[in-house]
Coordinates of all heavy atoms in Angstrom, one line a residue:
M24 N 49.0 174.1 -35.5 CA 48.6 175.3 -36.1 C 48.3 176.3 -34.9 O 47.7 176.0 -33.9 CB 47.2 175.1 -36.8 CG 46.7 176.3 -37.4 SD 45.0 176.2 -38.0 CE 44.1 176.0 -36.4
Q25 N 48.7 177.5 -35.1 CA 48.5 178.6 -34.2 C 47.6 179.6 -34.7 O 47.7 180.0 -35.8 CB 49.9 179.1 -33.9 CG 50.0 180.2 -32.8 CD 51.4 180.7 -32.6 OE1 52.4 180.1 -33.1 NE2 51.5 181.8 -31.8
S26 N 46.7 180.1 -33.9 CA 45.8 181.2 -34.3 C 46.0 182.4 -33.4 O 46.1 182.2 -32.1 CB 44.3 180.7 -34.2 OG 43.4 181.7 -34.7
I27 N 46.1 183.6 -33.9 CA 46.5 184.8 -33.1 C 45.8 186.0 -33.7 O 45.6 186.1 -34.9 CB 48.1 184.9 -33.1 CG1 48.5 185.9 -32.1 CG2 48.6 185.2 -34.5 CD1 50.0 185.9 -31.9
G28 N 45.5 186.9 -32.8 CA 44.8 188.2 -33.2 C 45.8 189.1 -33.9 O 47.0 189.0 -33.6
I29 N 45.3 190.1 -34.7 CA 46.2 191.0 -35.4 C 47.1 191.8 -34.4 O 48.3 191.9 -34.7 CB 45.4 192.0 -36.2 CG1 44.9 191.2 -37.4 CG2 46.3 193.1 -36.7 CD1 44.0 192.1 -38.3
A30 N 46.6 192.3 -33.3 CA 47.4 193.1 -32.4 C 48.5 192.3 -31.8 O 49.7 192.7 -31.8 CB 46.5 193.7 -31.3
E31 N 48.2 191.1 -31.4 CA 49.2 190.2 -30.8 C 50.2 189.8 -31.8 O 51.4 189.7 -31.6 CB 48.6 189.0 -30.1 CG 49.5 188.1 -29.4 CD 48.9 187.0 -28.7 OE1 47.6 186.9 -28.7 OE2 49.6 186.1 -28.2
A32 N 49.8 189.5 -33.1 CA 50.6 189.2 -34.2 C 51.6 190.3 -34.5 O 52.8 190.1 -34.7 CB 49.9 188.9 -35.5
K33 N 51.2 191.6 -34.4 CA 52.0 192.7 -34.7 C 53.1 192.8 -33.6 O 54.3 193.1 -33.9 CB 51.2 194.0 -34.6 CG 52.0 195.2 -34.8 CD 51.0 196.5 -34.7 CE 51.9 197.7 -34.7 NZ 51.1 198.9 -34.5
N34 N 52.8 192.5 -32.4 CA 53.8 192.6 -31.3 C 54.8 191.4 -31.3 O 55.8 191.5 -30.7 CB 53.0 192.7 -29.9 CG 52.3 193.9 -29.7 OD1 52.7 195.0 -30.3 ND2 51.2 193.9 -29.0
N35 N 54.4 190.3 -31.9 CA 55.2 189.1 -31.9 C 55.5 188.6 -33.3 O 55.7 187.4 -33.5 CB 54.5 188.0 -31.2 CG 54.2 188.3 -29.7 OD1 55.1 188.6 -29.0 ND2 52.9 188.4 -29.3
F36 N 55.6 189.5 -34.2 CA 55.8 189.1 -35.6 C 57.0 188.3 -35.9 O 57.0 187.2 -36.6 CB 55.8 190.3 -36.5 CG 55.7 190.0 -38.0 CD1 54.4 189.5 -38.5 CD2 56.7 190.2 -38.9 CE1 54.3 189.3 -39.8 CE2 56.5 189.9 -40.2 CZ 55.3 189.4 -40.7
S37 N 58.2 188.7 -35.3 CA 59.4 187.9 -35.5 C 59.3 186.5 -35.0 O 59.7 185.5 -35.6 CB 60.6 188.6 -34.8 OG 60.8 189.8 -35.4
A38 N 58.6 186.3 -33.8 CA 58.4 185.0 -33.3 C 57.5 184.2 -34.2 O 57.7 182.9 -34.4 CB 57.8 185.0 -31.9
L39 N 56.5 184.8 -34.8 CA 55.6 184.1 -35.7 C 56.3 183.6 -36.9 O 56.1 182.5 -37.4 CB 54.4 185.0 -36.0 CG 53.4 185.3 -35.0 CD1 52.4 186.3 -35.5 CD2 52.8 184.1 -34.4
I40 N 57.2 184.5 -37.5 CA 58.0 184.1 -38.6 C 58.8 182.9 -38.3 O 59.0 182.0 -39.1 CB 58.8 185.3 -39.1 CG1 57.9 186.5 -39.6 CG2 59.8 184.9 -40.2 CD1 57.1 186.1 -40.9
E41 N 59.4 182.9 -37.2 CA 60.3 181.8 -36.7 C 59.5 180.5 -36.6 O 59.9 179.5 -37.1 CB 61.0 182.1 -35.4 CG 62.0 181.1 -35.0 CD 62.7 181.5 -33.7 OE1 62.9 182.7 -33.5 OE2 63.2 180.6 -33.0
S42 N 58.3 180.6 -36.1 CA 57.4 179.4 -36.0 C 57.1 178.9 -37.4 O 57.1 177.7 -37.6 CB 56.1 179.8 -35.3 OG 56.3 180.1 -34.0
V43 N 56.8 179.8 -38.4 CA 56.5 179.4 -39.7 C 57.7 178.7 -40.4 O 57.7 177.7 -41.1 CB 56.0 180.6 -40.5 CG1 55.8 180.2 -42.0 CG2 54.6 181.0 -40.0
E44 N 58.9 179.3 -40.1 CA 60.1 178.8 -40.7 C 60.4 177.4 -40.1 O 61.0 176.5 -40.8 CB 61.3 179.6 -40.3 CG 61.4 180.9 -41.1 CD 62.5 181.8 -40.8 OE1 62.9 181.8 -39.6 OE2 63.0 182.5 -41.6
N45 N 59.9 177.1 -38.9 CA 60.0 175.7 -38.4 C 59.0 174.8 -38.8 O 58.8 173.7 -38.2 CB 60.1 175.9 -36.8 CG 61.3 176.5 -36.3 OD1 62.4 176.3 -37.0 ND2 61.3 177.3 -35.2
G46 N 58.1 175.2 -39.7 CA 57.1 174.3 -40.3 C 55.7 174.5 -39.7 O 54.8 173.8 -40.2
E47 N 55.5 175.4 -38.8 CA 54.2 175.6 -38.2 C 53.3 176.5 -39.1 O 53.8 177.4 -39.8 CB 54.3 176.2 -36.8 CG 53.0 176.2 -36.1 CD 53.1 176.7 -34.6 OE1 54.3 176.7 -34.1 OE2 52.1 177.0 -34.1
E48 N 52.0 176.2 -39.1 CA 51.1 177.1 -39.8 C 50.5 178.1 -38.8 O 50.2 177.7 -37.7 CB 49.9 176.3 -40.4 CG 48.9 177.1 -41.1 CD 47.8 176.2 -41.7 OE1 48.1 175.1 -42.2 OE2 46.6 176.6 -41.6
V49 N 50.5 179.4 -39.2 CA 50.0 180.4 -38.3 C 48.8 181.1 -39.0 O 49.0 181.5 -40.1 CB 51.1 181.5 -37.9 CG1 50.5 182.6 -37.1 CG2 52.3 180.8 -37.2
R50 N 47.7 181.3 -38.3 CA 46.6 182.0 -38.7 C 46.4 183.3 -38.0 O 46.4 183.2 -36.7 CB 45.4 181.1 -38.7 CG 45.5 179.9 -39.6 CD 44.3 179.0 -39.5 NE 44.6 177.8 -40.3 CZ 43.7 177.0 -40.8 NH1 42.4 177.3 -40.6 NH2 44.0 176.0 -41.6
I51 N 46.2 184.4 -38.6 CA 46.0 185.7 -38.0 C 44.5 186.1 -38.2 O 44.0 186.0 -39.3 CB 46.9 186.7 -38.5 CG1 48.4 186.3 -38.4 CG2 46.7 188.1 -37.9 CD1 49.4 187.3 -39.0
T52 N 43.9 186.4 -37.1 CA 42.5 186.8 -37.1 C 42.2 188.2 -36.8 O 43.0 188.9 -36.2 CB 41.7 185.9 -36.1 OG1 42.2 186.2 -34.8 CG2 41.9 184.4 -36.4
R53 N 41.1 188.7 -37.3 CA 40.5 190.0 -37.0 C 39.1 189.8 -36.5 O 38.3 189.3 -37.3 CB 40.6 190.9 -38.2 CG 39.9 192.3 -37.9 CD 39.9 193.2 -39.2 NE 41.2 193.7 -39.4 CZ 41.6 193.9 -40.7 NH1 40.8 193.7 -41.7 NH2 42.8 194.4 -40.9
H54 N 38.9 190.2 -35.3 CA 37.5 190.1 -34.7 C 37.0 188.6 -34.8 O 35.9 188.3 -35.1 CB 36.5 191.0 -35.4 CG 36.9 192.4 -35.4 ND1 37.1 193.1 -34.2 CD2 37.2 193.3 -36.4 CE1 37.4 194.4 -34.5 NE2 37.5 194.5 -35.8
G55 N 38.0 187.7 -34.6 CA 37.7 186.3 -34.5 C 37.6 185.6 -35.9 O 37.4 184.3 -35.9
K56 N 37.8 186.3 -37.0 CA 37.7 185.7 -38.3 C 39.1 185.7 -38.9 O 39.8 186.7 -38.9 CB 36.7 186.5 -39.3 CG 35.3 186.4 -38.8 CD 34.4 187.0 -39.8 CE 33.0 186.8 -39.3 NZ 32.0 187.3 -40.3
E57 N 39.4 184.5 -39.5 CA 40.8 184.4 -40.1 C 40.9 185.3 -41.3 O 40.0 185.4 -42.2 CB 40.9 183.0 -40.6 CG 42.3 182.7 -41.2 CD 42.4 181.3 -41.7 OE1 41.9 180.3 -41.0 OE2 43.0 181.0 -42.7
V58 N 42.0 186.1 -41.3 CA 42.3 187.0 -42.4 C 43.6 186.7 -43.1 O 43.8 187.1 -44.3 CB 42.2 188.5 -42.0 CG1 40.8 188.9 -41.6 CG2 43.2 188.8 -40.9
V59 N 44.5 186.0 -42.4 CA 45.8 185.7 -43.0 C 46.2 184.3 -42.6 O 46.0 183.9 -41.4 CB 46.9 186.7 -42.5 CG1 48.3 186.3 -42.9 CG2 46.6 188.1 -42.9
R60 N 46.8 183.5 -43.5 CA 47.3 182.2 -43.1 C 48.7 182.2 -43.6 O 49.1 182.4 -44.8 CB 46.5 181.1 -43.9 CG 47.0 179.7 -43.5 CD 46.2 178.7 -44.1 NE 44.7 178.8 -43.8 CZ 43.7 178.3 -44.4 NH1 44.0 177.5 -45.5 NH2 42.5 178.5 -44.0
M61 N 49.7 182.0 -42.7 CA 51.1 182.0 -43.0 C 51.5 180.6 -43.0 O 51.3 179.8 -42.0 CB 51.9 182.8 -41.9 CG 51.5 184.2 -41.8 SD 52.2 185.1 -40.3 CE 53.9 184.8 -40.5
L62 N 52.2 180.2 -44.1 CA 52.6 178.8 -44.3 C 54.1 178.8 -44.7 O 54.5 179.8 -45.3 CB 51.9 178.1 -45.4 CG 50.3 178.0 -45.3 CD1 49.7 177.6 -46.6 CD2 50.0 177.1 -44.2
P63 N 54.8 177.8 -44.4 CA 56.3 177.7 -44.8 C 56.3 177.6 -46.3 O 55.4 177.0 -46.9 CB 56.8 176.4 -44.1 CG 55.7 175.9 -43.3 CD 54.4 176.6 -43.6
V64 N 57.3 178.3 -46.8 CA 57.5 178.3 -48.3 C 57.9 176.8 -48.8 O 57.3 176.4 -49.8 CB 58.5 179.3 -48.8 CG1 58.8 179.1 -50.2 CG2 58.1 180.7 -48.4
R65 N 58.7 176.2 -48.1 CA 59.2 174.9 -48.5 C 58.7 173.9 -47.5 O 58.9 174.0 -46.3 CB 60.7 174.8 -48.5 CG 61.3 175.7 -49.6 CD 62.8 175.6 -49.6 NE 63.3 176.6 -50.5 CZ 64.5 177.0 -50.4 NH1 65.4 176.6 -49.4 NH2 65.0 177.9 -51.2
R66 N 58.1 172.8 -48.0 CA 57.7 171.7 -47.2 C 58.4 170.5 -47.7 O 58.9 170.4 -48.8 CB 56.2 171.5 -47.3 CG 55.4 172.6 -46.7 CD 53.9 172.2 -46.6 NE 53.2 173.3 -45.9 CZ 52.4 173.1 -45.0 NH1 52.2 171.9 -44.5 NH2 51.8 174.2 -44.4
K67 N 58.5 169.5 -46.8 CA 59.2 168.2 -47.3 C 58.4 167.6 -48.4 O 57.1 167.6 -48.4 CB 59.3 167.2 -46.1 CG 60.2 167.7 -45.0 CD 60.3 166.7 -43.9 CE 61.2 167.2 -42.8 NZ 61.3 166.3 -41.7
P68 N 59.0 167.1 -49.4 CA 58.3 166.4 -50.5 C 57.5 165.2 -50.0 O 57.9 164.5 -49.1 CB 59.4 166.0 -51.5 CG 60.7 166.0 -50.7 CD 60.5 166.9 -49.5
V69 N 56.4 165.1 -50.7 CA 55.5 164.0 -50.3 C 56.1 162.7 -50.9 O 55.9 161.6 -50.2 CB 54.1 164.2 -51.0 CG1 53.2 163.0 -50.7 CG2 53.5 165.5 -50.4
I70 N 56.8 162.7 -51.9 CA 57.4 161.5 -52.5 C 58.9 161.9 -52.8 O 59.3 163.0 -53.2 CB 56.7 161.1 -53.8 CG1 57.2 159.9 -54.4 CG2 56.8 162.2 -54.9 CD1 56.4 159.3 -55.5
T71 N 59.7 160.9 -52.5 CA 61.2 161.1 -52.7 C 61.6 160.9 -54.1 O 60.9 160.3 -54.9 CB 62.0 160.2 -51.8 OG1 61.7 158.8 -52.2 CG2 61.6 160.3 -50.3
D72 N 62.8 161.3 -54.5 CA 63.3 161.1 -55.8 C 63.5 159.6 -56.1 O 63.3 159.2 -57.2 CB 64.7 161.8 -56.0 CG 64.6 163.4 -56.0 OD1 63.5 163.8 -56.3 OD2 65.6 164.0 -55.8
E73 N 63.9 158.9 -55.1 CA 64.0 157.4 -55.3 C 62.7 156.8 -55.6 O 62.6 155.9 -56.4 CB 64.6 156.8 -54.0 CG 66.1 157.1 -53.8 CD 66.2 158.5 -53.1 OE1 65.2 159.1 -52.5 OE2 67.3 159.0 -53.1
Q74 N 61.6 157.2 -54.9 CA 60.3 156.7 -55.2 C 59.8 157.0 -56.6 O 59.3 156.2 -57.3 CB 59.3 157.2 -54.2 CG 59.5 156.6 -52.8 CD 58.6 157.3 -51.8 OE1 58.5 158.5 -51.8 NE2 58.0 156.6 -50.9
I75 N 60.1 158.2 -57.1 CA 59.8 158.7 -58.4 C 60.5 157.8 -59.4 O 59.9 157.3 -60.4 CB 60.1 160.2 -58.6 CG1 59.2 161.0 -57.8 CG2 60.0 160.5 -60.1 CD1 59.5 162.5 -57.7
E76 N 61.8 157.6 -59.2 CA 62.6 156.8 -60.1 C 62.0 155.4 -60.2 O 62.0 154.8 -61.3 CB 64.0 156.8 -59.7 CG 64.9 156.1 -60.7 CD 65.0 156.7 -62.0 OE1 65.0 157.9 -62.1 OE2 65.1 156.0 -63.0
R77 N 61.7 154.8 -59.0 CA 61.2 153.4 -59.0 C 59.9 153.3 -59.8 O 59.6 152.4 -60.5 CB 61.0 153.0 -57.5 CG 60.6 151.6 -57.4 CD 60.6 151.0 -55.9 NE 60.0 151.9 -55.0 CZ 60.6 152.6 -54.0 NH1 61.9 152.5 -53.8 NH2 59.9 153.4 -53.2
E78 N 59.0 154.3 -59.6 CA 57.7 154.3 -60.3 C 57.9 154.5 -61.8 O 57.2 153.8 -62.6 CB 56.8 155.5 -59.8 CG 56.3 155.3 -58.3 CD 55.4 154.2 -58.1 OE1 54.6 153.8 -59.0 OE2 55.4 153.6 -57.0
L79 N 58.8 155.3 -62.2 CA 59.0 155.5 -63.6 C 59.6 154.2 -64.3 O 59.3 153.8 -65.4 CB 60.0 156.7 -63.9 CG 59.4 158.0 -63.6 CD1 60.4 159.1 -63.7 CD2 58.2 158.3 -64.5
S80 N 60.5 153.5 -63.5 CA 61.0 152.3 -64.0 C 59.9 151.2 -64.1 O 59.9 150.5 -65.1 CB 62.1 151.7 -63.0 OG 63.2 152.6 -63.0
Q81 N 59.0 151.2 -63.2 CA 57.9 150.2 -63.3 C 57.0 150.6 -64.5 O 56.5 149.7 -65.2 CB 57.1 150.2 -62.0 CG 57.8 149.6 -60.8 CD 57.1 149.7 -59.5 OE1 56.1 150.4 -59.4 NE2 57.6 149.0 -58.5
I82 N 56.8 151.8 -64.8 CA 56.0 152.2 -65.9 C 56.7 151.8 -67.2 O 56.1 151.3 -68.1 CB 55.7 153.7 -65.9 CG1 54.7 154.1 -64.8 CG2 55.1 154.2 -67.2 CD1 54.6 155.6 -64.5
D83 N 58.0 152.1 -67.3 CA 58.8 151.6 -68.5 C 58.7 150.2 -68.7 O 58.5 149.7 -69.8 CB 60.2 152.1 -68.3 CG 60.4 153.6 -68.5 OD1 59.5 154.2 -69.0 OD2 61.5 154.1 -68.0
A84 N 58.8 149.4 -67.6 CA 58.7 147.9 -67.7 C 57.3 147.5 -68.2 O 57.2 146.6 -69.0 CB 59.0 147.2 -66.4
L85 N 56.3 148.1 -67.7 CA 54.9 147.8 -68.1 C 54.7 148.2 -69.6 O 54.2 147.4 -70.4 CB 53.9 148.6 -67.3 CG 52.4 148.4 -67.6 CD1 52.0 147.0 -67.4 CD2 51.6 149.3 -66.8
H86 N 55.2 149.3 -70.1 CA 55.2 149.7 -71.5 C 55.9 148.6 -72.4 O 55.4 148.3 -73.4 CB 55.8 151.0 -71.8 CG 54.8 152.2 -71.4 ND1 55.3 153.4 -71.0 CD2 53.5 152.2 -71.3 CE1 54.2 154.2 -70.7 NE2 53.1 153.5 -70.9
A87 N 57.0 148.1 -71.9 CA 57.8 147.2 -72.6 C 57.1 145.9 -72.7 O 57.2 145.1 -73.7 CB 59.2 146.9 -72.0
A88 N 56.3 145.5 -71.7 CA 55.6 144.2 -71.7 C 54.3 144.2 -72.5 O 53.8 143.2 -72.9 CB 55.2 143.9 -70.2
I89 N 53.7 145.4 -72.7 CA 52.5 145.5 -73.5 C 52.8 145.4 -75.0 O 53.5 146.3 -75.5 CB 51.7 146.8 -73.1 CG1 51.3 146.8 -71.7 CG2 50.5 147.0 -74.0 CD1 50.7 148.1 -71.2
R90 N 52.2 144.5 -75.6 CA 52.3 144.4 -77.1 C 50.9 144.5 -77.7 O 49.9 144.0 -77.3 CB 52.8 143.0 -77.4 CG 54.1 142.6 -76.8 CD 55.3 143.4 -77.6 NE 56.5 143.1 -77.0 CZ 57.3 144.0 -76.5 NH1 57.0 145.3 -76.5 NH2 58.5 143.7 -76.0
P91 N 50.8 145.4 -78.8 CA 49.6 145.6 -79.4 C 49.1 144.3 -80.0 O 49.8 143.5 -80.6 CB 49.8 146.6 -80.6 CG 51.2 147.2 -80.2 CD 51.9 146.2 -79.3
G92 N 47.8 144.0 -79.8 CA 47.2 142.8 -80.3 C 46.4 143.0 -81.6 O 46.6 144.1 -82.2
A93 N 45.6 142.0 -82.1 CA 45.0 142.1 -83.3 C 44.0 143.3 -83.3 O 43.8 143.9 -84.4 CB 44.3 140.8 -83.6
A94 N 43.3 143.6 -82.2 CA 42.3 144.6 -82.2 C 43.0 146.0 -82.5 O 42.4 146.8 -83.2 CB 41.7 144.7 -80.8
V95 N 44.2 146.2 -82.1 CA 44.9 147.5 -82.4 C 45.2 147.5 -83.9 O 45.0 148.5 -84.5 CB 46.2 147.6 -81.6 CG1 47.0 148.8 -82.1 CG2 45.8 147.7 -80.1
D96 N 45.6 146.4 -84.5 CA 45.9 146.4 -85.9 C 44.6 146.7 -86.7 O 44.7 147.4 -87.7 CB 46.4 145.0 -86.3 CG 47.8 144.8 -85.8 OD1 48.5 145.8 -85.5 OD2 48.2 143.6 -85.6
V97 N 43.5 146.1 -86.3 CA 42.2 146.4 -87.0 C 41.9 147.9 -87.0 O 41.5 148.5 -88.0 CB 41.1 145.5 -86.4 CG1 39.7 145.9 -86.9 CG2 41.3 144.1 -86.6
L98 N 42.0 148.5 -85.8 CA 41.7 149.9 -85.7 C 42.6 150.8 -86.5 O 42.2 151.7 -87.1 CB 41.7 150.3 -84.2 CG 40.6 149.7 -83.3 CD1 40.9 150.0 -81.9 CD2 39.3 150.2 -83.8
L99 N 43.9 150.4 -86.5 CA 44.9 151.2 -87.2 C 44.6 151.0 -88.8 O 45.0 151.9 -89.5 CB 46.3 150.8 -86.9 CG 46.7 151.2 -85.5 CD1 48.1 150.6 -85.2 CD2 46.7 152.6 -85.3
N100 N 44.1 149.9 -89.2 CA 44.0 149.7 -90.7 C 42.5 150.0 -91.1 O 42.1 149.4 -92.0 CB 44.3 148.2 -90.9 CG 45.8 148.0 -90.8 OD1 46.6 148.9 -91.1 ND2 46.2 146.9 -90.2
G101 N 41.8 150.9 -90.4 CA 40.6 151.3 -91.0 C 39.4 150.9 -90.2 O 38.2 151.1 -90.7
G102 N 39.5 150.2 -89.1 CA 38.3 149.9 -88.3 C 37.8 148.6 -88.6 O 38.2 147.8 -89.5
L103 N 36.6 148.2 -87.9 CA 36.0 146.9 -88.1 C 35.1 146.9 -89.4 O 35.0 145.8 -89.9 CB 35.1 146.6 -86.9 CG 35.9 146.5 -85.5 CD1 34.9 146.5 -84.4 CD2 36.8 145.3 -85.5
G104 N 34.7 147.9 -89.8 CA 33.8 147.9 -91.0 C 34.5 148.0 -92.4 O 33.8 148.0 -93.4
S105 N 35.8 147.9 -92.4 CA 36.4 148.0 -93.7 C 36.7 146.6 -94.3 O 36.6 145.6 -93.8 CB 37.7 148.8 -93.6 OG 38.6 148.3 -92.6

């Protein structure tokens, strides 16, 4: 992360943009207080498509393995007091 004052940011704006495009976070300050935070628009995904597919397959397998028991039948047919 890079922190830079407004005057210096103005003089080096193109270089700051390039840094952000390369994945760096840039903070611009006025009188020592942060007023702007520049972040890259695209970041690498936290989870890959393959991981998502694997997780969804595991969820599908779990759903297929779960069978409603007698307790579900009781609730569906009016509850315990009927």
Side-chain angles (χ1 to χ4, degrees):
M24 177 195 69
Q25 183 177 351
S26 186
I27 190 169
I29 289 177
E31 190 177 347
K33 178 182 172 185
N34 293 332
N35 298 302
F36 194 69
S37 294
L39 293 176
I40 295 294
E41 187 174 331
S42 294
V43 172
E44 287 177 329
N45 290 327
E47 187 175 347
E48 180 178 320
V49 175
R50 296 178 184 203
I51 300 174
T52 61
R53 175 185 286 148
H54 305 298
K56 293 188 179 187
E57 182 181 323
V58 293
V59 175
R60 185 177 301 166
M61 297 169 60
L62 302 170
V64 172
R65 295 182 188 155
R66 293 191 178 228
K67 292 183 179 179
V69 175
I70 186 168
T71 65
D72 290 342
E73 291 81 16
Q74 290 171 318
I75 292 170
E76 185 63 37
R77 187 172 48 248
E78 294 291 330
L79 290 174
S80 295
Q81 290 174 350
I82 290 170
D83 289 341
L85 182 60
H86 282 151
I89 295 173
R90 300 283 180 241
V95 172
D96 291 335
V97 169
L98 292 172
L99 290 175
N100 293 321
L103 297 172
S105 55

